[in-house]
Amino acid sequence: MNEMILLEHVGKSFGDFQVLQDINLSVAPGEKIVICGPSGSGKSTLIRCINRLAPHDTGTIIVEQQDVASKQGSEHVRREVGMVFQNFNLFPHLSVVDNCTLAPMKVRGLSKQEADDLAMTYLRRVHISEQAHKKPCQLSGGQQQRVAIARALCMNPKVMLFDEPTSALDPEMVGEVLEVMTELALDGMTMLCVTHEMGFARKVADRVVFMDAGRIVEIAPPTEFFDNPQHARSRAFLSQISH
Ligand SMILES: Nc1ncnc2c1ncn2[C@@H]1O[C@H](COP(=O)(O)OP(=O)(O)OP(=O)(O)O)[C@@H](O)[C@H]1O
Ligand SMILES: [Mg+2]
């Protein structure tokens, strides 16, 4: 009834290829969902459908009572849902702080001073305020990803979507990004994270969603999913990634 996100019978095709089939998922406010599954199973497409970066073909996606397929609903998700990508997607020509102030000034109508103050608040929160005046290329991958998280938070989102936020990072930088994501989770943010960081999933996720070939195969709390997966596909997947 008061779910934050509701997907009912969602389907999507690229030409003849059905990338999502009959996806059903309800996410409560404050819930943390980890989405995992083999390459090509539709994980990125699923979260891109939630914030309308990719339109679904069939079924319904409701975010905070609004149908994302409607004009009003799509504007709503653009404002209320933050997204962090694998490759950071920072604007290379803008400083860290300007990356963070752009959308709040354009979309939320903040003054430069208000947006600067907000940006510094979130850059402090991801422990990177001392880099505020550098360009993205002067930062490490882990630092750039933390900036990308701060940039999303500056829009004061109700939901954060992460698409493999640590998979492009050198191993020694994965921890600092997961730490920031864990802090965000502890603050009560509603989060959907595509990740294969199973330590993070065990620690932070309320439920793990396992996808294969465009379908949700299994949804379970992390201890159940990792220690006692119910489906042969989940077991095969876990045996591949656990070593
Ligand atoms: N714009 C597109 N046009 C055509 N096919 C696409 C498009 N985007 C994705 N696909 C196909 O849809 C399928 C699912 O892609 P998606 O990126 O959602 O998978 P994924 O689970 O995120 O995979 P990965 O783990 O490699 O990121 C893949 O077979 C992919 O080739
Ligand atoms: Mg993907």
Side-chain angles (χ1 to χ4, degrees), residues 30-176:
E31 202 177 6
K32 287 76 172 114
I33 303 280
V34 160
I35 302 170
C36 63
S39 181
S41 58
K43 307 177 298 292
S44 296
T45 307
L46 175 62
I47 62 167
R48 291 166 63 85
C49 282
I50 292 173
N51 72 345
R52 204 65 184 165
L53 277 180
H56 58 287
D57 303 327
T58 53
T60 16
I61 301 180
I62 309 286
V63 176
E64 284 199 303
Q65 329 297 334
Q66 299 214 33
D67 187 335
V68 305
S70 70
K71 186 170 184 299
Q72 198 185 359
S74 68
E75 285 166 7
H76 185 74
V77 289
R78 290 276 153 76
R79 265 198 318 273
E80 304 294 343
V81 177
M83 175 117 182
V84 174
F85 302 88
Q86 184 173 13
N87 291 313
F88 330 134
N89 292 10
L90 296 172
F91 301 112
H93 59 293
L94 295 180
S95 69
V96 161
V97 68
D98 289 345
N99 261 280
C100 294
T101 57
L102 193 66
M105 287 167 63
K106 267 200 162 142
V107 180
R108 292 176 59 199
L110 267 56
S111 70
K112 172 95 175 78
Q113 186 61 55
E114 289 168 332
D116 275 344
D117 292 347
L118 185 72
M120 291 312 292
T121 301
Y122 285 112
L123 289 170
R124 272 194 294 276
R125 184 147 157 205
V126 302
H127 318 297
I128 201 157
S129 51
E130 70 284 358
Q131 314 283 358
H133 298 289
K134 288 192 178 165
K135 291 273 167 59
C137 65
Q138 297 171 292
L139 303 182
S140 73
Q143 290 173 326
Q144 289 188 53
Q145 193 58 298
R146 286 187 280 138
V147 172
I149 294 172
R151 178 176 66 174
L153 292 175
C154 283
M155 287 297 284
N156 198 16
K158 302 240 176 65
V159 178
M160 286 282 284
L161 308 175
F162 294 86
D163 191 357
E164 302 207 40
T166 59
S167 61
L169 299 177
D170 291 337
E172 68 269 26
M173 290 165 193
V174 169
E176 67 192 54

Side-chain angles (χ1 to χ4, degrees), residues 3 29 65 90 97 162 177 181 215 220 222 231 243:
E3 59 276 311
Q65 329 297 334
L90 296 172
V97 68
F162 294 86
V177 172
M181 291 170 63
R215 292 182 181 273
H231 292 267
H243 53 92

